Structure formats: C-alpha cells, structure tokens
Amino acid sequence: ITVYEGSDDTGAVVGKGILHITPRDFAKQLTTMKAVHAPSKLAGLKALARFGALFAGDLVSTYANVLAPSHVLHPHAEPRKRRSLRAPIPDVHSFLTEDGVALRLTRYQGGTKGPVMLAPGFGNKAEVYALDTTSTNFVEYLVANDYDVWLFDRRSSPALPSAAHPYSIDDVATYDWPAAVAEVLRLTRADDVQVVAHCMGSMTLLMAKILGLEGVRNAVCSQVTTYFETNTMNRLKARFHIAEGLSALGIESVTTKVTPTWSDAILDKALALYPIPKGESCDNPVCHRIFGMFGPVYRHAQLNRATHREMDQIFGVANTAVLHHLLAILGKGHIIDKDGKDVYMPHIGRLTFPIHFIAGAQNEIAFPSTSQRLYEELSELNGPERYSRKQYEEYAHLDCFAGKDAATDIFPDLITELDRYN
C-alpha cells in the first residue's frame, strides 16, 4: 500500500513508502507504524491518517455490512444514456373515470392486431412493459408482431397523483377498468380489446369482469387471480394489521423512493435485515424497500444490471388505504371487498372470456397455486377449452416481464395466446 508519494518540480518521485499489513495485525500495528521517507513529520502523520481511514473503511465494508457506508447517503448511480425503443413514438391519452379520477393510456400503434391493453402490478408504472434496459421489452415484442399496444396506468400507478390518495381495490375494478376499456374502444373504434395484466392488474381485471365489465375479447393473467396465496411474511403483515398501524401513526402513504437522508439510511439498514429468499440479497436500497413492502418481487438472477438499477423508476408511492384492503385479501386468501364481504367469489362463473394464466414457479408473493386453483375451477365450471395455463420454472413474479431473457423464454408464448384470438 502506498502511504506517501511526492514529487519535485520536475515531476520526479522524491519520497515513497510501502506498507504491508493484515487485518489481524491492523489494530496493533496502527500505533507503531510510520510513513517512511515523508519530507516532514506532519506529512507523515497525514499519510498515516489517510491510510487508516481507507483501510478501516474497506475493512468495515467487507466484514461488517450493517455498519458499512450507506448507499442511501452516498448514492453512486450515474445518469445513463437511454436507448431508443424499436416502437412508434407513443401517444398519451388522459381521461376521467366516473368518480372523477384522472387516468392515463399510452399508445404504441404498431399494427392492426389487438388493440391490446397492458396493465401492470401494484406499485408499478405501466412503463415497466417498455423498459429500455432489456434487449427487447414487451412493447417492442408486441409492435414487432403488428400489435396496437396500450399501456394502462390505473389510479394505483406511481406515475399518477392518484397513487398517493386513498382508494380501494374495489374502486379500480368498479371505475378504472370500465373507463379505460371504453376509452380504447372509442379511440380505435374496435369491437373489443385484448388484455395482458400482471399481479393487481390481473386481479382487478377479473374483479371488474365479475362486476359486469364488457368489451374484453380475451386475457393473459399473470401471477395473481381471484385467489392470492402468499408467503409467511406477507401473511404476518396481514395478521398484525400493518396497514392500520401505519394509518394510526399518521402515515398516509409509503414509497420505494429513497432520498439521501439519515432517516432513509436508518430505514435501509433495518430493511436489509428483512427475511428474503436465499441468494436474493443485494446492496440496492430500492430493493430493500421493494422487498420489505411487497416481498421478493423478482429473482435477481433474472435481471440484468441495468434493470436492477432502474427499479426506482418502475416502483413508487402507494397509499396505506389500499394496503389495508390488499392485506385483508392476503389474510383471506381470495378477493373480498373493502368491507371484508365475499361479493366476488360466489360469481367467478362469470369469467367466461378466454384466459391464459401464467405463473412463476419461484414466486413467493403469489404462489403458483394462486392461478392453478382458479384455472381448475373455471375449467370445471365453464369448460376447459376456454382456459389454459403455463408455469415458468426459473421465474418468480415481475421478472416474467422485466427479466433479461423474458423475450425468448416467455413473450413468444404470450404472442401465441394473443394471436389465437386475432
């Protein structure tokens, strides 16, 4: 380790000291080590201080992660150059629901098939389907296959102000889906739409259909259905009424956004201790927030580095009122209304449109049984020819769309299902 190096006016090195030391001897040697060839006693002391700070910092970062310098207080992310999407320039359409909430549709008019609406999961922006961090995102894949693509930002989308305000999952099913489908049909003059919906997008689509939603030709439902069977940590959140506790503390919303403050740094260190599946730990504070709020949303092995760094742009704010409803559903294991009443499950036979279910075998937020159970029940109620299902063994939840290899492992199957009804 070079602890001192100086030069004269010509640039020639005039003093240099090399020190070899092991972590075991560091504490003992620190009191006796000297910087050799230092031009003055003060310069030698400064060199020792600089060495001690650097060495101790590396030691702590390597062997004591809980005490390591905070990635929150000292973020290292640099602005990156975004690639151009292989898709038409999008058109953005804002519209109002019957209860007066402003929502958004983003259209990539890639062809005459469809139109197909893409609905994201809870806490996600619809642009998760148009990530420029993967070699081919789902929007690009659909456009390449001549689809007219519509990204649907519901009131739960962090891209909209409504995400921070109180609402229930019933509101999404009752108001958002009918308004969005009607808007796409009005603008395209199509008879009906196709839908690919993930997580809460899938659940609320099915709820809306049970309530009488018209105009949907067929759907691909990812991970969550009318059932929601999840891991122990999420069940404990429901059992101990975490959402009510946040509300009682005056916390109206939670967010995956991380700011360079001491409070966020302390929260990050606490969330780093949150139980997660083996092999899923990382030093990204946004991941700590996402896994703490929602659970293991993706397998890190399925994400490339750029997508992993972009998670703060995909996720965002969530209101605690909807968390209360969502955790109540988790506790029950199937959809209920905000008052805890079973107004949906007695009518699942109304789900008569063709549905293709997909599930990640590694999913701990919504176990594969979540879709398997509904698939079997609907096949028995309405006939198996309307329903299909596929499970992906190496995938979990969101990585089925954001994964680095999703374009080769999953997207071709989804196109096959959509093409079946074009």
Side-chain angles (χ1 to χ4, degrees), residues 244-394:
E244 291 92 324
L246 292 173
S247 297
L249 293 172
I251 300 174
E252 297 181 354
S253 63
V254 292
T255 181
T256 59
K257 294 291 184 182
V258 178
T259 57
T261 62
W262 279 106
S263 59
D264 272 20
I266 292 169
L267 178 59
D268 177 55
K269 291 303 180 185
L271 289 173
L273 303 175
Y274 185 87
I276 59 175
K278 184 178 180 180
E280 298 302 329
S281 61
C282 74
D283 61 4
N284 186 341
V286 177
C287 276
H288 300 165
R289 289 281 184 100
I290 292 170
F291 279 43
M293 287 172 60
F294 308 115
V297 177
Y298 39 77
R299 292 187 66 210
H300 281 81
Q302 293 293 356
L303 302 183
N304 63 29
R305 186 176 181 182
T307 301
H308 185 231
R309 290 182 59 184
E310 196 73 2
M311 284 299 161
D312 66 323
Q313 301 301 314
I314 299 170
F315 286 83
V317 69
N319 189 268
T320 52
V322 74
L323 280 177
H324 170 75
H325 191 182
L326 184 60
L327 289 174
I329 290 172
L330 291 179
K332 196 75 171 179
H334 63 257
I335 51 175
I336 52 176
D337 72 5
K338 64 180 180 181
D339 299 318
K341 298 177 182 177
D342 266 319
V343 300
Y344 298 102
M345 293 305 295
H347 308 291
I348 61 170
R350 295 174 183 172
L351 300 174
T352 54
F353 58 178
I355 306 173
H356 178 66
F357 299 99
I358 68 170
Q362 308 297 320
N363 195 340
E364 293 197 20
I365 291 181
F367 293 153
S369 56
T370 296
S371 58
Q372 180 68 32
R373 189 171 174 183
L374 183 61
Y375 165 67
E376 292 176 353
E377 290 183 3
L378 290 179
S379 296
E380 173 127 2
L381 280 170
N382 300 327
E385 65 279 357
R386 302 185 188 192
Y387 312 103
S388 56
R389 181 180 179 275
K390 185 161 184 178
Q391 183 168 301
Y392 297 91
E393 298 305 314
E394 299 302 319

Side-chain angles (χ1 to χ4, degrees), residues 140-157:
E140 291 173 319
Y141 202 94
L142 286 165
V143 165
N145 284 273
D146 301 319
Y147 274 87
D148 183 10
V149 184
W150 296 75
L151 303 188
F152 175 28
D153 280 298
R154 307 179 307 275
R155 70 183 65 200
S156 58
S157 171

Side-chain angles (χ1 to χ4, degrees), residues 68-146:
S70 171
H71 290 270
V72 176
L73 295 177
H74 304 286
H76 298 293
E78 298 177 358
R80 64 178 183 84
K81 184 178 180 180
R82 295 182 178 272
R83 71 171 177 85
S84 298
L85 299 187
R86 298 184 300 278
I89 296 173
D91 294 322
V92 178
H93 302 270
S94 297
F95 61 100
L96 292 177
T97 62
E98 189 177 329
D99 63 336
V101 177
L103 306 183
R104 188 168 73 192
L105 289 160
T106 304
R107 184 185 194 181
Y108 294 86
Q109 193 168 2
T112 58
K113 292 182 183 177
V116 58
M117 295 175 61
L118 308 185
F122 180 52
N124 290 168
K125 301 174 184 176
E127 69 183 74
V128 69
Y129 293 110
L131 292 174
D132 72 315
T133 54
T134 57
S135 58
T136 301
N137 59 50
F138 194 39
V139 166
E140 291 173 319
Y141 202 94
L142 286 165
V143 165
N145 284 273
D146 301 319

Side-chain angles (χ1 to χ4, degrees), residues 113 138 141-147 194 220 410-422:
K113 292 182 183 177
F138 194 39
Y141 202 94
L142 286 165
V143 165
N145 284 273
D146 301 319
Y147 274 87
Q194 297 177 280
V220 173
I410 297 175
F411 296 171
D413 295 336
L414 306 189
I415 289 293
T416 297
E417 294 303 321
L418 292 173
D419 281 351
R420 196 185 307 277
Y421 298 98
N422 269 286

